Amino acid sequence: MLPRAVLVERPTEYRQLLARHGTREQARFFLAQRDLELAEVEERHLRYEETRTRVLAAVPPDWRRATVDRAKLDRFLFGPDDVVVVLGQDGLVANVAKYLDGQPVVGLDPDPGRNPGLLVPHPPDALADLCADLLAGRDRSEQRTMVQARLDDGQRLLALNEIFLGHRTHQSARYVLDVGDARERHSSSGLIVTTGTGATGWAASINAARGERLALPAPTDERLAWFVREAWAGPATGASLTAGLLAARDELTATCQLDEGGVVFGDGIEDDRLTLDWAQRVRIGVADRRLRLLV
């Protein structure tokens, strides 16, 4: 069976403004009150729509096709033969990664110069050649390491960049951290466990602020880095176990000591989270899935 091309996208700024304000004129008035111009937003929208049309036209005519918005990813059923075409920012690849299981991902940058392009490295006009390479078996891809969190009740969460454990309102999080033979009770701004892909984002900022920096893993490296944010050394809490690396088969464990508000979420998507109760354990390590990203 021939593949199905699944276009993953998110609304443009212009569409978001229309959804919020109802009409173009109301959107224009809203921006004008803040000394902003609708024309620039509308121009980017039109460029995106033109690019989108070219991308859909580049899909081989005998392939099946589908489109899915970022907000509906958790309700979309990806098939094993799908080719996932992401048209948007780098973060959109991270948004879709946890719903995949080995399907090839083609990251297309619709607005070069505005995005880093780390996960959407290809220009939209490259899609036809990339599809031909896939069919001929001559495509080149990277197997990007992912991270997973597993609760003691069986729930699991996957992420491409990083997993955050903390309080849902970003108050102090209290938990017991076990890494190898080391254990420490923490009161902190949360725990972050990052992959090599995520090491260029949030984790890079945390690492840069440390006196002794870690050598962060590469995107295909089967290691993870972890950081405790703003650990507070008090009468019952410590601040010595605050950063390190996890080998491919290693895990760290955090035991929640919050009466309420404990959460685990991935890639900055706070709405898609696991909730933690007092004494519940979370094990975090390398996931058994990889993101297959065409390069």
Coordinates of all heavy atoms in Angstrom, one line a residue, residues 199-238:
A199 N 18.4 19.9 24.4 CA 19.6 20.5 25.0 C 19.9 21.9 24.4 O 20.7 22.6 25.0 CB 20.8 19.6 24.9
T200 N 19.3 22.2 23.3 CA 19.6 23.6 22.7 C 18.6 24.6 23.2 O 18.7 25.8 22.9 CB 19.5 23.5 21.2 OG1 18.2 23.0 20.8 CG2 20.5 22.5 20.7
G201 N 17.6 24.2 24.0 CA 16.5 25.1 24.5 C 16.6 25.4 25.9 O 17.5 26.0 26.4
W202 N 15.5 25.0 26.7 CA 15.4 25.3 28.1 C 16.6 24.8 28.9 O 17.2 25.5 29.7 CB 14.1 24.6 28.6 CG 13.6 25.1 29.9 CD1 14.2 26.0 30.7 CD2 12.4 24.6 30.6 NE1 13.4 26.2 31.8 CE2 12.3 25.3 31.8 CE3 11.5 23.7 30.2 CZ2 11.3 25.1 32.7 CZ3 10.4 23.5 31.1 CH2 10.3 24.2 32.3
A203 N 17.0 23.6 28.6 CA 18.2 23.0 29.3 C 19.5 23.8 29.1 O 20.3 24.0 30.0 CB 18.4 21.6 28.9
A204 N 19.6 24.4 27.9 CA 20.8 25.2 27.6 C 20.9 26.4 28.5 O 21.9 26.8 28.9 CB 20.9 25.5 26.1
S205 N 19.7 27.0 28.7 CA 19.6 28.2 29.5 C 20.0 27.9 31.0 O 20.7 28.6 31.6 CB 18.3 28.9 29.5 OG 17.9 29.3 28.1
I206 N 19.4 26.8 31.5 CA 19.7 26.3 32.8 C 21.2 26.0 33.0 O 21.9 26.4 33.9 CB 18.9 25.1 33.2 CG1 17.4 25.5 33.2 CG2 19.3 24.6 34.6 CD1 16.5 24.3 33.3
N207 N 21.8 25.3 32.0 CA 23.2 24.9 32.1 C 24.1 26.1 32.0 O 25.1 26.1 32.7 CB 23.5 23.9 30.9 CG 24.7 23.1 31.1 OD1 25.0 22.7 32.2 ND2 25.4 22.9 30.0
A208 N 23.7 27.1 31.2 CA 24.6 28.3 31.1 C 24.7 29.0 32.4 O 25.7 29.7 32.6 CB 24.1 29.2 30.0
A209 N 23.7 28.9 33.2 CA 23.6 29.7 34.5 C 24.4 29.0 35.6 O 24.5 29.5 36.7 CB 22.2 30.0 34.9
R210 N 24.8 27.7 35.4 CA 25.5 27.0 36.4 C 27.0 27.3 36.4 O 27.6 27.6 35.4 CB 25.3 25.5 36.1 CG 23.9 25.0 36.3 CD 23.8 23.5 35.9 NE 24.9 22.7 36.5 CZ 24.8 22.2 37.8 NH1 23.8 22.4 38.5 NH2 25.8 21.5 38.2
G211 N 27.6 27.2 37.6 CA 29.0 27.5 37.7 C 29.8 26.4 37.0 O 30.8 26.7 36.4
E212 N 29.4 25.1 37.2 CA 30.0 24.0 36.6 C 29.1 23.4 35.6 O 28.1 22.7 35.9 CB 30.4 23.0 37.6 CG 31.2 21.8 37.1 CD 31.7 20.8 38.2 OE1 31.6 21.2 39.3 OE2 32.1 19.7 37.8
R213 N 29.3 23.6 34.3 CA 28.4 23.2 33.2 C 28.5 21.7 32.9 O 29.7 21.2 32.9 CB 28.5 24.1 32.0 CG 28.3 25.5 32.2 CD 28.4 26.3 30.9 NE 28.3 27.7 31.2 CZ 28.3 28.7 30.2 NH1 28.5 28.3 28.9 NH2 28.1 29.9 30.5
L214 N 27.4 21.1 32.5 CA 27.5 19.7 32.0 C 27.8 19.7 30.5 O 27.4 20.7 29.8 CB 26.1 19.1 32.2 CG 25.7 18.8 33.7 CD1 24.3 18.1 33.6 CD2 26.6 17.9 34.4
A215 N 28.4 18.7 30.1 CA 28.5 18.4 28.6 C 27.3 17.8 28.2 O 27.0 16.6 28.4 CB 29.7 17.5 28.4
L216 N 26.4 18.6 27.6 CA 25.0 18.1 27.2 C 25.1 17.1 26.1 O 25.9 17.2 25.2 CB 24.1 19.3 26.8 CG 23.9 20.3 28.0 CD1 23.0 21.4 27.5 CD2 23.3 19.6 29.2
P217 N 24.1 16.1 26.0 CA 24.2 15.1 25.0 C 23.8 15.7 23.6 O 23.1 16.8 23.5 CB 23.1 14.1 25.5 CG 22.2 14.9 26.4 CD 23.1 15.9 27.0
A218 N 24.1 15.0 22.6 CA 23.8 15.3 21.2 C 22.4 14.7 20.9 O 21.9 13.8 21.6 CB 24.8 14.7 20.2
P219 N 21.7 15.2 19.8 CA 20.3 14.7 19.6 C 20.1 13.2 19.4 O 19.1 12.7 19.8 CB 20.0 15.5 18.3 CG 20.8 16.7 18.3 CD 22.1 16.3 18.9
T220 N 21.1 12.5 18.9 CA 21.0 11.1 18.7 C 21.7 10.3 19.8 O 21.7 9.1 19.8 CB 21.5 10.6 17.3 OG1 22.9 11.0 17.2 CG2 20.8 11.3 16.2
D221 N 22.3 11.0 20.8 CA 22.9 10.4 21.9 C 21.9 9.7 22.8 O 20.9 10.4 23.2 CB 23.7 11.5 22.7 CG 24.7 10.9 23.7 OD1 24.6 9.7 24.0 OD2 25.6 11.6 24.1
E222 N 22.1 8.5 23.2 CA 21.2 7.8 24.1 C 21.5 8.1 25.6 O 21.6 7.2 26.4 CB 21.2 6.3 23.8 CG 20.6 6.0 22.4 CD 20.4 4.5 22.3 OE1 20.8 3.7 23.2 OE2 19.8 4.1 21.3
R223 N 21.7 9.4 25.9 CA 21.8 9.8 27.2 C 20.9 11.0 27.4 O 20.4 11.6 26.5 CB 23.3 10.3 27.5 CG 24.3 9.2 27.4 CD 25.7 9.8 27.8 NE 26.0 10.9 26.9 CZ 26.8 11.9 27.3 NH1 27.4 11.9 28.5 NH2 27.1 12.9 26.4
L224 N 20.6 11.3 28.7 CA 19.8 12.4 29.1 C 20.5 13.2 30.1 O 21.4 12.7 30.8 CB 18.5 11.9 29.7 CG 17.6 10.9 28.9 CD1 16.4 10.4 29.8 CD2 17.1 11.6 27.7
A225 N 20.2 14.5 30.2 CA 20.7 15.4 31.2 C 19.6 15.8 32.1 O 18.4 15.9 31.6 CB 21.4 16.6 30.6
W226 N 19.8 16.0 33.4 CA 18.8 16.4 34.3 C 19.3 17.6 35.2 O 20.5 17.7 35.5 CB 18.3 15.3 35.2 CG 19.4 14.6 36.0 CD1 20.2 13.6 35.6 CD2 19.7 15.0 37.3 NE1 21.0 13.3 36.7 CE2 20.8 14.1 37.7 CE3 19.3 15.9 38.3 CZ2 21.4 14.2 39.0 CZ3 19.9 16.0 39.5 CH2 20.9 15.1 39.9
F227 N 18.3 18.4 35.5 CA 18.6 19.6 36.3 C 17.5 19.9 37.3 O 16.3 19.7 37.0 CB 18.7 20.9 35.4 CG 19.8 20.8 34.4 CD1 19.5 20.4 33.1 CD2 21.1 21.2 34.7 CE1 20.4 20.4 32.1 CE2 22.1 21.2 33.7 CZ 21.7 20.7 32.4
V228 N 17.9 20.3 38.5 CA 17.0 20.7 39.5 C 17.0 22.3 39.5 O 18.1 22.9 39.6 CB 17.3 20.2 40.9 CG1 16.4 20.8 42.0 CG2 17.2 18.7 40.9
R229 N 15.9 22.9 39.4 CA 15.8 24.4 39.3 C 15.7 25.0 40.7 O 14.8 24.7 41.4 CB 14.7 24.8 38.4 CG 14.7 24.3 37.0 CD 13.4 24.6 36.3 NE 13.2 26.1 36.2 CZ 12.0 26.7 36.2 NH1 10.9 25.9 36.5 NH2 11.9 28.0 36.1
E230 N 16.6 25.8 41.0 CA 16.6 26.7 42.2 C 16.3 25.8 43.5 O 15.3 26.1 44.2 CB 15.5 27.7 42.1 CG 15.7 28.7 40.9 CD 14.6 29.6 40.6 OE1 13.4 29.1 40.7 OE2 14.8 30.8 40.3
A231 N 17.1 24.8 43.7 CA 17.0 24.0 44.9 C 17.3 24.8 46.1 O 18.2 25.6 46.1 CB 17.9 22.8 44.8
W232 N 16.4 24.6 47.1 CA 16.6 25.4 48.4 C 17.1 24.4 49.5 O 16.5 23.4 49.8 CB 15.3 26.0 48.8 CG 15.4 26.8 50.0 CD1 16.0 28.0 50.2 CD2 14.8 26.6 51.3 NE1 15.9 28.5 51.5 CE2 15.1 27.6 52.2 CE3 14.0 25.5 51.8 CZ2 14.7 27.7 53.5 CZ3 13.6 25.6 53.1 CH2 13.9 26.7 54.0
A233 N 18.2 24.8 50.1 CA 18.8 24.0 51.2 C 18.2 24.5 52.5 O 18.5 25.6 53.0 CB 20.3 24.2 51.2
G234 N 17.3 23.7 53.1 CA 16.6 24.1 54.3 C 16.9 23.0 55.4 O 17.7 22.1 55.2
P235 N 16.2 23.1 56.5 CA 16.4 22.1 57.6 C 16.1 20.7 57.1 O 16.7 19.8 57.6 CB 15.3 22.6 58.6 CG 15.1 24.1 58.4 CD 15.2 24.2 56.9
A236 N 15.2 20.5 56.2 CA 14.8 19.2 55.8 C 15.0 18.9 54.3 O 14.7 17.9 53.8 CB 13.3 18.9 56.1
T237 N 15.6 19.9 53.6 CA 15.9 19.8 52.2 C 17.3 20.1 51.8 O 18.0 20.9 52.5 CB 14.9 20.7 51.3 OG1 15.1 22.0 51.7 CG2 13.5 20.3 51.5
G238 N 17.8 19.5 50.7 CA 19.2 19.7 50.3 C 19.3 20.4 49.0 O 18.3 20.6 48.2

